[in-house]
Amino acid sequence: MCRPVVNFYFVHSYYPEPTDPGDELGGTEYGIPFAAAVGRKNLAAVQFHPEKSGPPGLQILRNFCHWDGVVS
């Protein structure tokens, strides 16, 4: 599957290591592959700064604001 390449702004080297691979919603690679977005049930989090990531980051913030917390 071909995934679109979108750039996001990361400012430090911290990253989550989900114990359940199903909790990883998105990943990236910078020297090593790592989880950039994680989620479970009605909780979702990103490791990058969406507010500093241009249009793609602002779209993620809009999606968060409109999300009703229901996982489909």
Side-chain angles (χ1 to χ4, degrees), residues 12 19 50 57 64-65:
H12 49 70
T19 55
F64 277 151
C65 289

Side-chain angles (χ1 to χ4, degrees), residues 10 13-19 24 26 33-38 45-48:
F10 291 82
S13 60
Y14 300 108
Y15 59 90
E17 292 183 3
T19 55
E24 184 174 332
F34 61 92
V38 295
V46 295
Q47 180 53 24
F48 52 88

